[in-house]
């Protein structure tokens, strides 16, 4: 087999290539950029330097949010046994954010802007106990809490990407035990042979209640039970949300008794997804149901397709998560459902009331605190729920914050700090963090420089005698 021989270039061709290379090199050295090109290059250089400087400054400046004043209340307790500062906040899970639901929030929806604001506001309260809902991105939040001296415990409903978190100061409390309540599995009646009827639910929601028993450091026989929850969001499902609230109260009491901690007070704080004029609120605090509230319960006694798969679907997608925007006009429309029958086991008004009255009446830190301020004429320019919703002044809940959730599309009161004392330990409200003024939120939350969530954080200090 013959071998290929290297090709020999002619001397003339080599001289031509060498001459061409010299000419191109000469043109390269002779090139001069135009004034426009020089200006463009300089502008790009300045932009790079400015961006680099901005990033360096951002790393050293504290993230900004709108701080609020603290309201202290006069106390008749000369020597309280202890104080508990409690915070509750729905953080707005990043996994639930849809830009079309927050059209005025812009960059405030990005984690790079939201997270530093949220972390800074959480720590600014210096609360002893913190209840948080719609918590995701634990890998970012947990180190912040640990570095600040908090221990925390977290729970989530089945299949959910966000959950509830309870944090507490390590130097003040030790965790004794914890319990997760899955509302979808809790029975509310015993007079039926059918499992679904015993549960008495109108819809599978995957929501939970979460509670922790915390012993005081150095005094294990004294402590507090803390529960948080995030009830089902859909405004029209009043019955289901009321059922969930009743189960939470029942299970907190059962938990306290099973742990033999009847002498411990308990705190329930979270996003209840109902307003102070809702049936569930009235039942929690011991007010009787009004005729309007009974009508709302009646209209919402339905069976959703998640309970009865034979229900003909009316929408393509079930709206399991808050903020997915899958249902039009959710305040008025209940889709994928049928009217409930007696065999479905849904509770009557009387049975719902009984579910709540088995426990003690809850007291609200903000309702009591702002009522005391208004009675003393010291509430100032802040406004309460009763200023925007017509309600008898004798009804509890009238003095809750005017807003605890404020966005471009929805504005309402959904978040509360409730508590129950014991015969041995009475509780009074010593102070609370002022809610945001409406004018501060009118653009719609989240908002850079105001608040990193669509909910307002609540914080109250309780005195235990």
């Amino acid at each position: 087999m013959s071998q290929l021989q290297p090709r020999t270039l002619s001397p003339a061709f080599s001289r031509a290539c060498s001459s061409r290379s010299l000419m191109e090199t000469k043109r390269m050295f002779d090139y001069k950029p135009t004034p426009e090109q020089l200006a463009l290059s300089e502008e790009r250089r300045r932009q790079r330097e400015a961006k680099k400087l901005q990033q360096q400054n951002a790393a050293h400046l504290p993230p900004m949010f709108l701080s609020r004043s603290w309201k202290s209340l006069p106390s008749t307790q000369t020597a309280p046994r202890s104080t508990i500062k409690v915070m509750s906040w729905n953080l707005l899970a990043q996994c639930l954010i849809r830009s079309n639901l927050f059209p005025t929030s812009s960059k405030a929806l990005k984690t790079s802007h939201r997270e530093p604001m949220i972390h800074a506001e959480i720590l600014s309260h210096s609360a002893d106990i913190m209840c948080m809902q719609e918590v995701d991105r634990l890998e970012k939040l947990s180190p912040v809490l640990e570095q600040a001296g908090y221990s925390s415990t977290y729970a989530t409903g089945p299949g959910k990407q966000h959950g509830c978190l309870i944090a507490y100061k390590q130097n003040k409390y030790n965790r004794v035990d914890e319990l997760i309540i899955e509302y979808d599995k809790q029975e509310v009646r015993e007079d039926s042979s059918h499992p679904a009827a015993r549960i008495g639910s109108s819809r599978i929601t995957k929501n939970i209640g979460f509670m922790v028993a915390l012993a005081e450091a150095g005094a294990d026989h004294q402590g507090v039970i803390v529960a948080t929850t995030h009830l089902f969001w859909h405004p029209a499902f009043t019955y289901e949300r009321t059922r969930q609230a009743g189960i939470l109260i029942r299970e907190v009491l059962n938990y306290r008794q099973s742990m033999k901690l009847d002498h411990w007070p308990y705190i329930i704080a979270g996003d209840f997804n109902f307003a102070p004029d809702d049936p569930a609120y009235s039942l929690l605090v011991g007010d009787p149901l009004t005729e309007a509230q009974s009508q709302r319960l009646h209209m919402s006694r339905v069976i959703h397709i998640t309970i009865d798969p034979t229900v003909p679907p009316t929408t393509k997608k079930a709206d399991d998560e808050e903020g997915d925007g899958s249902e039009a006009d959710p305040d008025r429309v209940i889709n994928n459902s049928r009217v409930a029958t007696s065999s479905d086991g849904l509770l009557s008004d009387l049975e719902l009331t009984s579910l709540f009255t088995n426990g003690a009446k809850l007291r609200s830190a903000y309702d009591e605190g702002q009522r005391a301020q208004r009675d003393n004429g010291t509430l100032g320019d802040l406004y309460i729920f009763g200023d925007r919703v017509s309600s008898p002044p004798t009804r509890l809940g009238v003095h809750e914050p005017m807003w605890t959730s404020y966005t471009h599309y929805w504005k309402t009161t959904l978040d509360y700090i409730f508590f129950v004392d014991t015969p041995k330990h009475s509780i009074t409200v010593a102070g609370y963090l002022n809610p945001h003024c409406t004018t501060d939120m009118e653009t719609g939350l989240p908002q850079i420089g105001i608040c990193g969530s669509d909910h307002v954080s609540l914080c109250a200090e309780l005195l235990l005698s």
Side-chain angles (χ1 to χ4, degrees):
M1 180 181 294
S2 62
Q3 295 182 345
L4 295 174
Q5 299 297 322
R7 184 176 180 181
T8 304
L9 301 177
S10 67
F13 182 79
S14 297
R15 285 195 300 272
C17 290
S18 177
S19 175
R20 185 176 180 181
S21 297
L22 289 171
M23 291 174 64
E24 289 177 348
T25 302
K26 185 175 184 300
R27 281 198 300 268
M28 183 177 67
F29 281 103
D30 290 342
Y31 169 75
K32 292 182 179 180
T34 65
E36 291 79 8
Q37 290 172 323
L38 287 172
L40 180 61
S41 177
E42 178 63 19
E43 177 60 25
R44 288 173 176 169
R45 185 192 67 79
R46 282 199 300 266
Q47 289 177 355
R48 289 194 299 270
E49 291 296 326
K51 185 176 181 180
K52 183 178 179 180
L53 182 61
Q54 184 180 19
Q55 292 173 341
Q56 291 173 346
N57 290 339
H60 295 91
L61 290 175
M64 298 301 293
F65 61 93
L66 185 62
S67 61
R68 293 168 277 155
S69 61
W70 183 266
K71 284 283 187 181
S72 295
L73 300 174
S75 173
T76 57
Q77 295 189 23
T78 55
R81 182 179 65 80
S82 63
T83 63
I84 305 176
K85 195 175 186 182
V86 184
M87 185 206 80
S88 183
W89 197 12
N90 180 320
L91 303 187
L92 177 56
Q94 192 68 30
C95 65
L96 297 182
I97 287 181
R98 305 291 183 269
S99 58
N100 62 305
L101 296 178
F102 307 96
T104 61
S105 296
S106 187
K107 291 183 179 180
L109 300 179
K110 296 183 180 295
T111 54
S112 57
H113 293 283
R114 289 186 64 232
E115 244 168 19
M117 290 172 60
I118 288 173
H119 294 169
E121 183 164 350
I122 288 172
L123 299 183
S124 72
H125 299 315
S126 191
D128 302 313
I129 297 169
M130 298 188 290
C131 298
M132 289 173 258
Q133 309 82 43
E134 285 195 25
V135 178
D136 61 357
R137 295 174 61 81
L138 278 175
E139 74 280 3
K140 300 295 183 180
L141 178 59
S142 294
V144 172
L145 296 175
E146 291 171 7
Q147 189 174 2
Y150 290 92
S151 292
S152 62
T153 183
Y154 175 82
T156 184
K160 282 185 175 281
Q161 296 178 303
H162 58 89
C164 296
L165 182 144
I166 297 176
Y168 50 93
K169 284 186 175 178
Q170 296 173 355
N171 63 355
K172 191 166 182 176
Y173 296 104
N174 298 316
R175 185 178 66 86
V176 177
D177 191 46
E178 64 184 53
L179 180 67
I180 301 172
I181 303 299
E182 293 186 34
Y183 297 126
D184 294 335
K185 298 179 179 179
Q186 294 294 315
E187 296 185 356
V188 294
R189 60 167 72 250
E190 300 176 353
D191 57 351
S192 176
S193 59
H194 196 284
R198 290 198 300 271
I199 291 174
S201 172
S202 66
R203 177 176 183 151
I204 292 176
T205 71
K206 304 177 185 178
N207 292 82
I208 63 167
F210 183 42
M211 61 194 77
V212 178
L214 299 176
E216 294 182 11
D220 289 346
H221 64 287
Q222 296 178 342
V224 61
I225 293 173
V226 182
T228 189
T229 193
H230 185 200
L231 300 186
F232 185 51
W233 73 271
H234 196 303
F237 277 80
T238 303
Y239 167 84
E240 184 55 36
R241 199 162 31 253
T242 304
R243 171 187 166 274
Q244 292 178 357
I247 288 172
L248 178 62
I249 293 298
R250 182 191 70 184
E251 294 307 308
V252 169
L253 290 173
N254 289 343
Y255 179 68
R256 188 170 70 163
Q257 292 170 1
S258 68
M259 296 289 293
K260 296 181 172 55
L261 299 173
D262 292 329
H263 58 294
W264 284 16
Y266 59 89
I267 296 167
I268 303 177
D271 176 2
F272 292 80
N273 266 316
F274 54 67
D277 59 353
D278 190 87
Y281 186 99
S282 293
L283 292 175
L284 279 173
V285 299
D287 271 351
L289 292 174
T290 66
E291 184 178 344
Q293 290 173 336
S294 292
Q295 182 64 16
R296 288 171 63 181
L297 285 168
H298 173 70
M299 297 296 293
S300 64
R301 284 191 177 92
V302 299
I303 297 298
H304 191 258
I305 195 171
T306 53
I307 299 290
D308 180 1
T310 67
V311 171
T314 53
T315 59
K316 295 181 180 179
K317 179 174 177 286
D319 51 325
D320 291 332
E321 290 288 10
E322 194 165 3
D324 69 358
S326 63
E327 287 201 9
D329 205 3
D331 285 320
R332 298 178 177 85
V333 178
I334 297 181
N335 284 314
N336 301 321
S337 302
R338 62 167 173 82
V339 176
T341 65
S342 58
S343 62
D344 293 313
L346 271 59
L347 300 176
S348 66
D349 286 4
L350 187 61
E351 290 170 323
L352 279 172
T353 302
S354 177
L355 185 63
F356 285 83
T357 53
N358 287 334
K361 298 176 183 178
L362 300 190
R363 296 162 57 193
S364 166
Y366 271 80
D367 192 44
E368 289 194 10
Q370 297 203 129
R371 183 184 295 272
Q373 293 286 80
R374 175 153 285 191
D375 289 345
N376 295 333
T378 57
L379 194 58
D381 295 332
L382 292 177
Y383 299 99
I384 59 174
F385 177 78
D387 291 334
R388 69 176 178 87
V389 175
S390 177
S391 183
T394 55
R395 297 285 293 188
L396 295 175
V398 171
H399 291 82
E400 294 287 359
M402 179 177 279
W403 317 105
T404 67
S405 181
Y406 199 100
T407 75
H408 178 75
Y409 287 119
W410 64 87
K411 304 161 181 62
T412 187
T413 304
L414 303 172
D415 308 82
Y416 310 96
I417 297 175
F418 293 115
F419 62 91
V420 174
D421 48 20
T422 69
K424 291 185 177 181
H425 303 295
S426 63
I427 298 178
T428 58
V429 181
Y432 61 90
L433 185 68
N434 267 331
H436 278 299
C437 296
T438 303
T439 52
D440 294 330
M441 304 182 291
E442 59 187 0
T443 308
L445 302 179
Q447 205 64 234
I448 293 176
I450 304 294
C451 180
S453 174
D454 60 336
H455 286 246
V456 176
S457 64
L458 303 180
C459 190
E461 188 171 50
L462 308 176
L463 298 181
L464 278 68
S465 65

